[in-house]
Amino acid sequence: MITVTRLNGKPFSLNAIYIETVESFPDTTITLTNGKKYVVREPHDKVTADIEMFYTRISLLGKVKAEEDQDGE
């Protein structure tokens, strides 16, 4: 799960496995695989970083990728 904030300031959590796209219009819009859309306050880069961190925690994103990011490669 990742935590994001609605435009009205209310935080909520999304299961990142169901995220299909993250776009900026300029507001960040998250589209789930079921077609539901959420507009959030967080910038695109933070949402994608949170998704990658979630995937790493649940071992969907390999440890090698995480180590490469830490080494700056």
Side-chain angles (χ1 to χ4, degrees):
M1 303 289 273
I2 64 167
T3 301
V4 291
T5 310
R6 294 181 192 272
L7 293 181
N8 67 4
K10 189 172 183 176
F12 69 103
S13 296
L14 282 174
N15 188 337
I17 292 174
Y18 297 114
I19 294 175
E20 185 173 346
T21 61
V22 178
E23 302 171 282
S24 296
F25 294 126
D27 293 325
T28 305
T29 303
I30 300 170
T31 305
L32 303 183
T33 56
N34 65 2
K36 184 139 174 99
K37 294 182 184 250
Y38 295 96
V39 180
V40 298
R41 287 186 174 185
E42 287 76 14
H44 183 275
D45 294 342
K46 180 173 181 344
V47 172
T48 55
D50 288 350
I51 293 168
E52 286 183 13
M53 194 178 332
F54 171 76
Y55 284 169
T56 301
R57 278 195 320 259
I58 65 169
S59 300
L60 281 180
L61 187 63
K63 188 174 181 178
V64 174
K65 169 72 172 143
E67 289 173 355
E68 286 175 2
D69 289 345
Q70 289 176 359
D71 293 339
E73 295 178 1

